[in-house]
Amino acid sequence: MRATAGRIARQGGGWTLALVAVAAVALVYRKDLPAAARAIASARPAWIFGLLALALLGLAAFGLLFRSGQTAAGARVRVWEGIELGNAAYALNLVVKSSGLAGVVVFTRRARARGEPHGPAVAGYLLATVLNHAAFAVVLVAALVTLVLAGRFTAIDAAASGVFAVYLAAHVVLTVAAVRSRSLVRAVYAAPARVLDWARHAILRRRGSREPGHERADELHAAIALIRKRPRRSVPVAGWALSVDLVHVLWVYAALQAVGGGAGIDAALVAYGVATLFGIVGIVPGGLGFVELGMTATLVTYGVPTPRAAAATVLYRVAELWLPLLAGALAARRLRSPARSSA
């Protein structure tokens, strides 16, 4: 009960911070909001439909990214089911600030319902997540190079890039260590149980009755070893990871064209890279406030009028945040149905 209350309190605190961040962005651009609303109302229909089509393509690409990760780890997931699982996981990652790891529960729940090993589900998810971060790192480097060449690289960009570099390095180091060490995988799996045991002893003055087993940790290590022995299985995962980021850049470009922003694909690339970077290093779920501020400010530096930059950012966030949340919620509901769980 206390753990549940604590989790709810943390999530509530995170969303409170998110609302504060959005309110701060609205306050900064308050003079431009009426003009931004007019720009959205008069947006070009052809580009709006194009953005919607690209948004649906992005949902499919993200789902297929995680499905290919599951396939690489030896799990069998049908195409449509993979799209549903991937989008349910993505939606969960949007509402929970967890470095992209919260969504793994969608895949472990599926494995448990089907009586399948957890190891391939976790390994496939981690593979897709790490390669997704690596693909964004490639896009981010391209965006930063573009900024430097244009003379627009700032100290804030450098600081945020440094934080992301540490974040990515930590993921890579842990992944490499897990590949090489069965004992490390066991330690990571056992850590939550040991923490709960310590808390139980500190609060209730009693210890747990038994040490956690290593079956699931060994399943994960075996699945990782399978990926390591067959590295070609990871190639489709990397391809889908890169396609996800390229679709995101096209979202920004389509949103700009819809509101008459006039900027080119280079501005879309940089705006996506900077905004996503700010969203990752931000402390609120979904990057609320941080993404909006980063993207709008970046587009303004490329000569886009502030109202149109804000309007383009709003349209982008519909495709990048609100539509995936809706799709993920619908997918999660379908996946929770008794018929689907037992299928």
Side-chain angles (χ1 to χ4, degrees):
M1 182 67 72
R2 290 182 180 179
T4 302
R7 183 170 64 252
I8 293 174
R10 288 192 298 272
Q11 292 176 356
W15 282 103
T16 300
L17 288 174
L19 292 175
V20 170
V22 171
V25 173
L27 182 63
V28 170
Y29 293 108
R30 62 188 182 279
K31 294 182 180 179
D32 300 299
L33 291 180
R38 289 193 294 272
I40 294 175
S42 59
R44 301 170 183 174
W47 280 105
I48 292 293
F49 283 114
L51 177 59
L52 177 60
L54 287 170
L56 296 176
L57 179 62
L59 293 176
F62 205 89
L64 291 172
L65 162 64
F66 282 98
R67 190 245 177 187
S68 63
Q70 296 295 302
T71 301
R76 295 183 178 180
V77 180
R78 297 186 301 273
V79 173
W80 182 250
E81 183 186 21
I83 293 175
E84 288 185 320
L85 289 166
N87 281 283
Y90 182 48
L92 186 57
N93 288 331
L94 286 174
V95 300
V96 179
K97 195 72 176 178
S98 62
S99 300
L101 298 179
V104 71
V105 301
V106 174
F107 292 90
T108 56
R109 182 182 184 277
R110 173 188 179 273
R112 183 171 62 250
R114 292 170 176 261
E116 298 174 353
H118 278 218
V122 177
Y125 182 86
L126 293 179
L127 175 66
T129 300
V130 170
L131 290 182
N132 191 33
H133 291 328
F136 173 69
V138 172
V139 174
L140 179 62
V141 168
L144 294 178
V145 169
T146 304
L147 275 177
V148 171
L149 293 177
R152 295 186 172 97
F153 189 70
T154 66
I156 295 177
D157 296 326
S161 300
V163 172
F164 176 73
V166 173
Y167 166 87
L168 180 62
H171 277 73
V172 172
V173 168
L174 287 173
T175 302
V176 172
V179 168
R180 296 181 178 276
S181 172
R182 181 187 297 270
S183 60
L184 177 61
V185 176
R186 287 181 172 182
V188 170
Y189 252 88
R194 294 185 186 280
V195 170
L196 288 175
D197 185 42
W198 175 86
R200 187 183 297 112
H201 175 70
I203 297 172
L204 303 177
R205 299 299 176 184
R206 55 190 178 124
R207 292 285 187 183
S209 58
R210 60 185 179 89
E211 287 290 313
H214 297 306
E215 293 84 5
R216 290 183 179 178
D218 291 343
E219 288 173 359
L220 173 58
H221 188 268
I224 294 174
L226 175 63
I227 295 172
R228 186 183 180 188
K229 290 178 181 178
R230 303 176 182 177
R232 290 184 180 180
R233 288 190 172 194
S234 300
V235 174
V237 190
W240 283 115
L242 188 58
S243 72
V244 167
D245 286 293
L246 295 179
V247 169
H248 277 68
V249 174
L250 293 177
W251 287 352
V252 182
Y253 182 76
L256 276 170
Q257 303 312 308
V259 299
I265 195 69
D266 57 333
L269 170 66
V270 173
Y272 166 67
V274 172
T276 304
L277 179 62
F278 279 32
I280 290 173
V281 302
I283 59 175
V284 297
L288 283 171
F290 288 84
V291 171
E292 286 79 4
L293 185 61
M295 180 166 290
T296 302
T298 301
L299 291 175
V300 169
T301 66
Y302 272 85
V304 180
T306 301
R308 296 187 184 278
T313 299
V314 169
L315 292 179
Y316 168 78
R317 288 293 263 171
V318 169
E320 186 263 345
L321 176 64
W322 301 113
L323 184 59
L325 279 176
L326 176 61
L330 293 175
R333 183 175 182 180
R334 280 173 52 82
L335 292 167
R336 282 198 303 267
S337 66
R340 291 296 301 274
S341 298
S342 59

